[in-house]
Amino acid sequence: MRTLVTGASGAIGSWLAKKLLSDGHEVVSILHDNRPFTTSKFLGIHDKISWAHGSILDGNFVKRVISDYSVDTIYHLAALPLVQVSTRTAVPVFDVNIMGTVNILEAIKENYWTGKEIALVVISTDKAYGDAGEKPYTEDLPLGGLSIYDVSKACADMITRTYAAGGFAPQIVVARPCNVIIPGDTNLGRVFPRTTLPALSGKNPILYRTYYVREFIWIEDIVSGLVTLGKSLKEIPEKVHGEAFNIGSGNQATLEIVVGEILNHFSGISPVWIEPPTLARVEIPYQKLNTTKMETTTGWTASTSFRDSVHKYIDWWRDNWGMIPDTIKNFTLHGWD
């Protein structure tokens, strides 16, 4: 089976591509920037992926890739992530996260109208719901994100389901995962690498003092959930096509709990707490997913506890620390990085 994974050099996409490769898929992806270190390189799969060099914002290029490689399934993860990025530069975030998704959908629509069916799993986010108070998100809640990133993902989410409702494609589903614990992720805007990488170098991590509550899931659990949705589009399309599914673990934690659990694995390391900038106030204070729909429809459940996830995360970094470039090991964070 030939599968397109957009964003396969990124954190989640690399682990998904690794699983698909191990399952016998030929994996294709789109590469816009050449970087000396990516999660796909850390996982040893970069050279096993067929890379098409171009931009997801080029609609004709996207159509060419999907047609030339005759892909059967697409997992769409390519996006500009993080609230920090979107507060600095809004238009590229809207372009990539919204129009990149539209270009994928248009290519699928054209293929469908010529007789080829392509299954599509679009990875959204729990942040698309916005602030719903202290109650678990269910898929029937309105999407109410307010930050630029949250809104961009909510728009892509809605547009995807519009193409399904309009009959433009026969096998489309949206996944809404919680925060993911990802070994090999070097994005220091996320709490796990921002805490762990300095600690591995013997440095005290610099962190914003916030009181947000987040839900966390282990990477292999989220990958299992995404693959399950991809298979379900083929096996039970009548139950999943046009739907959105939460993928979570039920493991919630405050920032202080997360940092404490990580630093339990290091001696002599303590967090340096600083006040967040005003722009951080658009962050959602409380997030929790209700995953009943995913569990009852597909039979999938998360299997890794929060504590075990942290333990596996730290073990992976320690086992692979030798391959990490000095530019990452020696990088020092100063504030809103």
Side-chain angles (χ1 to χ4, degrees):
M1 181 176 290
R2 192 170 288 164
T3 303
L4 172 63
V5 178
T6 69
S9 63
I12 299 175
S14 293
W15 281 87
L16 174 60
K18 179 183 178 182
K19 169 62 175 172
L20 293 170
L21 287 166
S22 70
D23 288 346
H25 292 243
E26 178 184 346
V27 176
V28 180
S29 191
I30 293 171
L31 188 64
H32 185 265
D33 297 328
N34 285 306
R35 304 185 67 182
F37 42 85
T38 61
T39 308
S40 60
K41 292 178 180 178
F42 293 155
L43 295 180
I45 62 166
H46 194 83
D47 293 338
K48 299 177 182 179
I49 297 171
S50 297
W51 296 100
H53 293 262
S55 172
I56 200 168
L57 292 179
D58 184 340
N60 287 331
F61 167 76
V62 171
K63 291 176 182 178
R64 194 274 294 172
V65 170
I66 291 173
S67 296
D68 275 4
Y69 285 93
S70 190
V71 300
D72 302 295
T73 303
I74 300 173
Y75 293 89
H76 178 45
L77 297 95
L80 288 179
L82 297 176
V83 172
Q84 297 99 307
V85 173
S86 64
T87 55
R88 295 174 184 141
T89 177
V91 173
V93 172
F94 285 133
D95 279 346
V96 172
N97 296 359
I98 297 173
M99 291 310 301
T101 304
V102 171
N103 287 337
I104 294 288
L105 290 163
E106 280 292 302
I108 289 175
K109 182 181 75 174
E110 286 191 4
N111 274 267
Y112 181 46
W113 285 356
T114 58
K116 180 173 177 58
E117 296 186 3
I118 301 172
L120 172 65
V121 181
V122 170
I123 289 71
S124 182
T125 172
D126 57 355
K127 292 177 176 57
Y129 289 110
D131 183 0
E134 293 191 7
K135 63 180 180 182
Y137 299 136
T138 54
E139 290 87 350
D140 58 352
L141 284 175
L143 303 184
L146 290 178
S147 81
I148 291 167
Y149 170 71
D150 301 354
V151 169
S152 73
K153 295 297 285 184
C155 288
D157 187 316
M158 295 174 68
I159 290 167
T160 298
R161 289 178 290 118
T162 295
Y163 272 70
F168 298 147
Q171 298 174 24
I172 292 178
V173 68
V174 172
R176 295 174 184 159
C178 62
N179 287 19
V180 187
I181 303 171
I182 317 168
D185 178 15
T186 59
N187 193 327
L188 297 174
R190 298 188 177 104
V191 63
F192 269 83
R194 190 178 180 112
T195 304
T196 304
L197 299 190
L200 285 164
S201 296
K203 301 174 184 176
N204 294 326
I206 300 171
L207 300 157
Y208 292 116
R209 184 176 293 284
T210 63
Y211 301 94
Y212 308 135
V213 176
R214 294 288 183 265
E215 184 170 345
F216 294 89
I217 189 171
W218 175 240
I219 181 61
E220 290 172 315
D221 283 340
I222 192 71
V223 164
S224 172
L226 296 177
V227 171
T228 296
L229 286 178
K231 291 179 178 178
S232 296
L233 282 172
K234 301 290 187 180
E235 297 169 359
I236 49 170
E238 70 282 0
K239 294 184 178 180
V240 298
H241 171 59
E243 298 291 329
F245 291 88
N246 293 334
I247 304 182
S249 65
N251 299 323
Q252 284 182 287
T254 63
L255 178 63
E256 187 173 356
I257 290 173
V258 171
V259 172
E261 191 65 39
I262 293 171
L263 295 185
N264 280 341
H265 294 263
F266 300 89
S267 60
I269 302 294
S270 301
V272 177
W273 297 105
I274 60 175
E275 291 302 312
T278 302
L279 290 172
R281 294 175 186 169
V282 296
E283 289 274 12
I284 300 163
Y286 182 94
Q287 292 186 283
K288 181 176 175 60
L289 290 174
N290 180 312
T291 56
T292 301
K293 182 178 178 182
M294 180 72 176
E295 293 165 4
T296 57
T297 303
T298 71
W300 173 91
T301 57
S303 61
T304 313
S305 70
F306 179 71
R307 179 162 292 178
D308 286 346
S309 298
V310 174
H311 187 82
K312 293 166 86 169
Y313 177 83
I314 300 298
D315 281 351
W316 187 94
W317 276 110
R318 283 184 167 143
D319 290 344
N320 293 279
W321 192 235
M323 77 169 74
I324 307 303
D326 288 340
T327 51
I328 295 177
K329 292 180 180 179
N330 299 327
F331 188 77
T332 300
L333 287 166
H334 299 286
W336 191 243
D337 289 302

